[in-house]
Amino acid sequence: MVGYVLKRLGLAILVALAVSMIAFLLLRLSGDPAIALAGEGARQADIELIRKTYGFDRPLPVQYVEWLGKTVRGDFGESVYFRSPAAPLIFSKLQTTMMLGVFALAFALFISVPLGVAAAVYRNSWIDRLCLALAVVGQALPNFFFALLLIMIFSIWLRWLPVSGSGTWQHFVMPTIALGYYAAPAFMRLIRAGMIEVLEADYIRTARAKGLPATQVIFKHALRNAVVPVVALAAVQLGFLLGGSVVVETIFALDGLGYLAYQSITFKDFPVMQNIVLLLSVIYVVLTLASDIANAWLDPRIRVA
Amino acid sequence: MASSMDVAAVALEPGGLTTLAAPGLARRVWKNKAVVVGVGLLLLIVILGVFAPLFAPYDPYVQNLENRTVPPFWYDGGSWVHPLGTDPLGRDYLSRLFYGARISLLIGISVAIMSGLIGTTMGMLAGYFGGKTDLVVSFLVTTRLSMPVILVALATVALMGGSLWVVITVLGLLKWDRFAVVMRSATQQVRSLDYVAAAQAAGASTPRVLLGEVLPNVLPHLIVVATLEAASAILLEAALSFLGLGVQPPLPSWGLMISEAKSYMFFSFWLIALPGAALAVLIFSINLAGDGLRDLLSPEGRA
Amino acid sequence: MSAVLREEPVPDTVLDVQELSVDIATPHGPLRAVRDVSFQVKRGETLCIVGESGCGKSITSLAVMSLLPAAATRRAKQLSLLGEDLLKATPKRVNALRGNRMAMIFQEPMTALNPAYTIGDQLMEVHLVHRGGGAAKARERAIELLGKVGIASAGERLGQFPHQLSGGLRQRVMIAMALMCGPELLVADEPSTALDVTIQAQILRLLADLQSDLGIAMVLITHDLGVVARIAHRVAVMYAGEIVEEGTAESVFASPRHPYTRGLLSCIPVPGRTERGGRLGTIAGVVPSLIGDIRGCSFRDRCAYARPECAVAVPVRREGAHAWRCIHHELPAERPEDAQRP
């Protein structure tokens, strides 16, 4: 187990480095960063000054190493738009987005696990078909459209929830649903497929032969074995959710990292933009690593080798 | 134990072309309602989009400020002059929807082709040669998977300016991961089969083996992934355009239409409902067709 | 034959099966997998159901335990455990009986245990579900039974996972698990088939010892006549879904009345009797299709003694506790040619 963890950790670090390189180069896409930072109508002298101050005149690899060194130490540079250090700005919004991501994931699992189990247990019945139909429909709705629909129903018509902002827990309800529903069909199918396979297993027949109640057979014996790929997918999906929060946060003006990303992109605030991409990528790498480890732990054959 | 690569891989059933080619294909296709409905709907949308100039009653770009925000025919104040109403600039909505189909379909197909080429090449090479090639490809895929697509796309578009072709290029260069993963698995399965060995024994060069023996047999999996990725690309473009960083006005991208109608949605709900429904129906039909195709591929029928 | 391992049974019918039939739905019509099978098993007695693959013996055992797949339908004139009607029992009642009054062990010990839970957990849960009482009692009982099935350091084993045990050990655990609540009936479906030859003998010995110790009724499914010889009091020979011969092990082995039984016995090499280099018997032909109407004797196409009447109806003949389905009361003495037909 320890060997496995170390190997995975090594790989994760390599990936994180690769991602940092891409994030670094992303900024250079628009051409000369000095011009971009100087803004419109800047004089040549100003551009040169910026170039010298930020070290854009040095070779690229040197710039990368220096940038990486600063970033790792928590110095993300300064936000061009907000005119304040980027790091505290980014981290202050991170919590909101993490909360949203976790809630959305929980919501997705909350609806998909029972549906997936039901679809598998009553395979090929109307329940199964209904669940699959819901899955297909759910995946066809664009999330921004669904978010607008939710606003129409819950804010305008029913007046139960606030349209936008991020003060109270009510502000999180619709964003959670809008972000989470799209992940549900994938989980549902995975659980359904996993359960169908597991329910055919010999040890399920043994459990039935022991006279265990049906709920125990399904949830203790079957689901426990079917859930392993779901854990892996859950971590991966959380990463996607965090990245995909841009749209939802922007629609609901929820003050998180996604919304900050949108603002920074719109206002060409490159340091912030670059570091958000890097931060989310690193979080994703960490999540994948955690899921690999959880996966290994869940399988006693690896845990107790 | 699953790495992120395995998790991201679609479960592959054995089968492929041999299953498709089995007798009774027509009957099985007909019996599989999903494929019939999905492909049927899809065909309808494609026809409407491709022949939009024939079907659309008006030019989608012509503004008519005297006829702003006219409701569809089933509302009071609506009429068959503009069956689905007009947008806040007086442009006929039905025509815009038809032309919008072109944009979505173009995005879906182009991105699927571009990312398909990249990802399939990578996947097939990794699956066929294994070893170091496989390690490199796996590493690239893991790295790509770690990056939030929509953010990177947004940032790139912001840096390079928004337009249809920028969107297609960016998405095409980003969305190859699933192709790589699935094609890698499929190639691994096929690699050890007899006819591949036979071709190698006959002295066929590697590209010939890959293109001549491996590709035809992983083709069905490729098609399934392509449909999924096309649908995903369409949704991404819609989201990008919705945020203002995709296709630019006055192009009638459905996502852009929703964005333009956002502030009117409380009073003129159809302005967002119609393009939203159009997107949903298109994605639905693609997914249905893809699912049905996958069912057709697995020898036992139902996955 | 090898030494017998059993004692005289105490009369008391534990399992009563009369005219049990199982049909399996197929696209081509119902497959009649089990046809009017009847047998009884008494306390302390072992009944072996023997037959080739596909003869319906496993399905019979699943039918008794109410573990049939969804596509199968079960009918019987009588199916009762210790006098209680299993046909009319509610699912809840059936669950209460399974693992408790009647238990089953299966062929593949490698896959029959849940890889995610410890041996102890899986042993104890049966006891907890049926007997309540709490974890301590269940644990005590588990250790007791592990000892009974010959597993040393039982306490340690409880905390282990299935993948840490060998096939033979797993099968012992399965047996212990089946006995946790002291059932009166044990159904064993080819319990030794998947194991190494040396382990096979150990497991069978264990089962025989446990039976004489605990007095349970046992139904043992097998295709191996050697197993039958070791452990059976009574034998039922199954062919194409029917029991074609039934009786005490001695009488069936000593004087097989049904041509199929005779064919089976001639297939086994017997030390001292079979000549080195001589041919073993085979039974030519294949099992007939079980879909649709089946009239007359299902063995007639492969039978050396078949007569035209065999296609119409087959009487059941008896002699004491020995019964068989055949037109013949007594077969001609075994012809050397029969034993050597290719």
Side-chain angles (χ1 to χ4, degrees):
Chain A
M1 179 79 181
V2 176
Y4 179 76
V5 171
L6 284 177
K7 250 186 15 178
R8 284 280 176 235
L9 186 61
L11 181 65
I13 293 177
L14 281 174
V15 173
L17 278 175
V19 161
S20 72
M21 268 186 249
I22 297 177
F24 175 73
L25 289 171
L26 198 62
L27 193 50
R28 305 296 187 278
L29 263 182
S30 66
D32 196 335
I35 298 179
L37 271 177
E40 309 246 324
R43 294 189 313 249
Q44 190 60 27
D46 292 334
I47 296 176
E48 285 307 317
L49 184 62
I50 289 177
R51 204 189 296 280
K52 275 229 156 39
T53 321
Y54 284 93
F56 290 145
D57 51 349
R58 287 169 306 160
L60 215 53
V62 173
Q63 289 185 46
Y64 167 67
V65 171
E66 202 175 276
W67 170 79
L68 188 63
K70 282 206 273 190
T71 307
V72 163
R73 268 176 278 139
D75 178 6
F76 288 0
E78 187 168 290
S79 158
V80 167
Y81 179 69
F82 291 96
R83 306 212 176 283
S84 69
L89 184 63
I90 291 177
F91 281 106
S92 68
K93 313 289 183 192
L94 180 62
Q95 188 192 14
T96 305
T97 301
M98 289 294 292
M99 267 169 52
L100 177 63
V102 170
F103 290 162
L105 183 67
F107 173 72
L109 288 171
F110 184 68
I111 50 177
S112 61
V113 168
L115 285 179
V117 170
V121 170
Y122 298 106
R123 183 180 176 184
N124 287 333
S125 71
W126 63 270
I127 298 179
D128 190 8
R129 281 189 242 278
L130 181 64
C131 291
L132 286 177
L134 281 175
V136 179
V137 169
Q139 283 194 301
L141 272 180
N143 62 353
F144 58 91
F145 181 56
F146 187 51
L148 292 177
L149 284 179
L150 286 175
I151 292 181
M152 283 295 292
I153 298 175
F154 290 102
S155 290
I156 309 303
W157 186 35
L158 290 173
R159 294 181 192 278
W160 283 352
L161 296 168
V163 172
S164 61
S166 38
T168 66
W169 66 266
Q170 284 102 327
H171 286 104
F172 276 85
V173 174
M174 285 194 295
T176 300
I177 300 176
L179 187 59
Y181 86 100
Y182 206 75
F187 282 122
M188 200 219 79
R189 283 176 209 250
L190 199 58
I191 290 172
R192 177 183 178 277
M195 282 294 284
I196 287 178
E197 198 187 310
V198 165
L199 284 171
E200 305 275 319
D202 282 349
Y203 54 83
I204 296 299
R205 187 179 52 178
T206 307
R208 290 208 173 105
K210 287 179 358 184
L212 300 179
T215 39
Q216 201 169 343
V217 174
I218 293 174
F219 290 101
K220 180 181 174 188
H221 284 265
L223 192 57
R224 169 63 174 76
N225 284 290
V227 96
V228 176
V230 173
V231 170
L233 185 64
V236 167
Q237 281 284 25
L238 184 57
F240 288 153
L241 287 173
L242 290 178
S245 65
V246 183
V247 176
V248 168
E249 284 187 16
T250 306
I251 293 180
F252 290 100
L254 196 67
D255 202 15
L257 212 53
Y259 192 34
L260 181 64
Y262 174 70
Q263 290 173 311
S264 69
I265 287 169
T266 318
F267 299 121
K268 302 213 194 296
D269 191 349
F270 298 135
V272 173
M273 183 165 70
Q274 184 181 46
N275 284 296
I276 292 180
V277 169
L278 178 64
L279 182 62
L280 283 176
S281 303
V282 168
I283 290 179
Y284 187 91
V285 170
V286 169
L287 282 173
T288 312
L289 178 65
S291 115
D292 282 345
I293 295 178
N295 234 15
W297 188 81
L298 276 175
D299 187 342
R301 286 170 283 207
I302 305 176
R303 187 184 355 146
V304 190
Chain B
M1 73 219 108
S3 68
S4 54
M5 280 279 282
D6 305 315
V7 166
V10 172
L12 286 172
E13 299 99 17
L17 264 186
T18 45
T19 314
L20 267 186
L25 174 66
R27 186 175 54 87
R28 276 182 300 136
V29 168
W30 189 247
K31 265 181 97 179
N32 189 328
K33 294 286 176 280
V35 172
V36 173
V37 171
V39 173
L41 264 180
L42 192 54
L43 227 48
L44 178 65
I45 296 176
V46 168
I47 291 174
L48 285 177
V50 168
F51 296 106
L54 282 180
F55 288 108
Y58 299 83
D59 183 323
Y61 301 102
V62 164
Q63 301 178 12
N64 186 346
L65 296 175
E66 268 143 55
N67 262 334
R68 287 204 266 208
T69 328
V70 173
F73 68 87
W74 60 84
Y75 283 78
D76 296 332
S79 71
W80 284 94
V81 175
H82 291 285
L84 290 183
T86 62
D87 73 354
L89 288 176
R91 297 176 289 199
D92 178 55
Y93 232 41
L94 182 64
S95 311
R96 299 210 95 211
L97 280 180
F98 284 166
Y99 276 84
R102 289 184 153 192
I103 294 179
S104 293
L105 289 169
L106 180 63
I107 300 269
I109 295 173
S110 317
V111 173
I113 291 177
M114 194 189 287
S115 57
L117 280 172
I118 299 175
T120 304
T121 310
M122 288 174 70
M124 277 177 59
L125 289 176
Y128 190 73
F129 291 109
K132 288 217 174 62
T133 319
D134 193 3
L135 278 177
V136 169
V137 169
S138 301
F139 182 74
L140 287 173
V141 171
T142 313
T143 306
R144 164 43 264 279
L145 280 177
S146 305
M147 299 178 45
V149 174
I150 204 170
L151 274 187
V152 173
L154 276 173
T156 312
V157 170
L159 287 166
M160 304 191 51
S163 82
L164 184 58
W165 291 105
V166 169
V167 171
I168 290 177
T169 312
V170 169
L171 290 180
L173 290 174
L174 279 175
K175 288 187 66 51
W176 47 262
D177 50 286
R178 187 177 283 185
F179 283 105
V181 169
V182 173
M183 287 298 107
R184 172 182 169 269
S185 300
T187 305
Q188 282 173 338
Q189 279 183 6
V190 163
R191 176 183 55 178
S192 49
L193 291 178
D194 286 343
Y195 47 83
V196 173
Q200 288 170 322
S205 65
T206 305
R208 208 193 188 109
V209 174
L210 281 175
L211 289 174
E213 307 290 335
V214 176
L215 186 58
N217 282 279
V218 296
L219 200 58
H221 299 291
L222 179 57
I223 295 175
V224 171
V225 176
T227 59
L228 288 176
E229 290 299 305
S232 166
I234 293 173
L235 282 176
L236 270 176
E237 177 274 320
L240 288 174
S241 302
F242 177 78
L243 290 176
L245 284 160
V247 167
Q248 298 298 309
L251 285 176
S253 150
W254 289 341
L256 190 55
M257 285 164 73
I258 295 179
S259 170
E260 288 169 343
K262 219 176 27 193
S263 18
Y264 300 85
M265 79 175 177
F266 307 140
F267 306 110
S268 315
F269 180 61
W270 79 88
L271 283 176
I272 63 164
L274 289 172
L279 272 172
V281 169
L282 176 59
I283 304 296
F284 179 72
S285 66
I286 296 178
N287 281 343
L288 214 55
D291 274 356
L293 201 61
R294 195 189 289 135
D295 280 349
L296 270 182
L297 280 181
S298 63
E300 299 85 36
R302 198 114 169 80
Chain C
M1 306 270 181
S2 43
V4 296
L5 300 167
R6 58 228 181 221
E7 307 185 351
E8 292 303 1
V10 174
D12 193 356
T13 307
V14 173
L15 179 66
D16 188 4
V17 179
Q18 291 178 29
E19 290 175 37
L20 171 70
S21 298
V22 178
D23 291 339
I24 301 183
T26 70
H28 306 287
L31 185 137
R32 312 202 44 215
V34 176
R35 300 182 282 137
D36 294 323
V37 159
S38 304
F39 56 87
Q40 286 84 37
V41 193
K42 298 190 170 45
R43 190 158 278 166
E45 178 183 67
T46 300
L47 169 72
C48 265
I49 303 183
V50 64
E52 61 194 87
S53 297
C55 70
K57 53 195 199 297
S58 285
I59 305 248
T60 305
S61 65
L62 291 175
V64 166
M65 295 288 294
S66 303
L67 281 175
L68 288 170
T73 11
R74 174 184 73 177
R75 293 186 309 272
K77 179 157 159 236
Q78 170 87 277
L79 176 62
S80 62
L81 176 76
L82 293 165
E84 181 172 345
D85 188 349
L86 291 176
L87 293 166
K88 293 217 182 55
T90 60
K92 201 160 161 220
R93 180 64 189 151
V94 169
N95 255 358
L97 289 171
R98 281 202 294 240
N100 191 6
R101 303 257 69 85
M102 55 199 276
M104 183 159 179
I105 60 180
F106 300 93
Q107 180 172 343
E108 291 283 349
M110 303 307 275
T111 48
L113 290 168
N114 195 326
Y117 296 101
T118 61
I119 307 289
D121 189 320
Q122 299 187 53
L123 281 168
M124 284 163 53
E125 68 178 343
V126 199
H127 196 266
L128 288 168
V129 164
H130 293 295
R131 294 293 157 96
K137 265 197 137 210
R139 197 188 148 83
E140 218 179 275
R141 175 85 175 142
I143 293 183
E144 179 195 337
L145 278 170
L146 283 180
K148 257 202 167 53
V149 299
I151 295 183
S153 44
E156 245 174 68
R157 294 289 186 191
L158 286 184
Q160 285 186 331
F161 288 92
H163 71 273
Q164 295 173 285
L165 273 61
S166 69
L169 273 181
R170 281 192 219 193
Q171 197 63 307
R172 289 175 192 265
V173 168
M174 290 292 297
I175 295 172
M177 206 158 70
L179 299 175
M180 281 294 285
C181 299
E184 275 92 358
L185 173 70
L186 177 66
V187 178
D189 189 355
E190 311 242 28
S192 55
T193 308
L195 303 167
D196 292 338
V197 176
T198 43
I199 313 286
Q200 276 184 25
Q202 290 176 16
I203 296 294
L204 290 173
R205 168 154 224 123
L206 174 62
L207 284 172
D209 286 345
L210 284 168
Q211 182 186 50
S212 62
D213 189 11
L214 303 167
I216 44 182
M218 193 153 68
V219 176
L220 198 136
I221 316 284
T222 181
H223 65 276
D224 185 346
L225 285 166
V227 170
V228 180
R230 269 185 199 276
I231 198 170
H233 294 116
R234 299 179 58 79
V235 185
V237 180
M238 261 187 96
Y239 180 77
E242 280 184 311
I243 292 188
V244 295
E245 182 156 359
E246 193 200 342
T248 63
E250 283 111 350
S251 60
V252 171
F253 275 103
S255 51
R257 297 303 183 116
H258 193 279
Y260 177 62
T261 316
R262 192 192 261 204
L264 276 185
L265 286 168
S266 74
C267 297
I268 312 172
V270 179
R273 207 164 4 129
T274 313
E275 280 171 31
R276 191 173 290 217
R279 282 159 156 266
L280 285 178
T282 55
I283 309 175
V286 290
V287 180
S289 164
L290 294 172
I291 297 184
D293 265 335
I294 302 163
R295 297 179 82 222
C297 177
S298 37
F299 189 65
R300 65 180 180 277
D301 294 331
R302 308 168 76 179
C303 183
Y305 313 100
R307 294 226 282 260
E309 304 91 270
C310 298
V312 178
V314 185
V316 176
R317 302 201 178 272
R318 290 182 198 285
E319 196 176 79
H322 195 160
W324 63 102
R325 284 179 202 270
C326 193
I327 212 115
H328 302 283
H329 187 88
E330 186 128 9
L331 291 176
E334 187 158 357
R335 303 177 292 185
E337 307 94 81
D338 294 335
Q340 288 169 33
R341 200 175 332 148

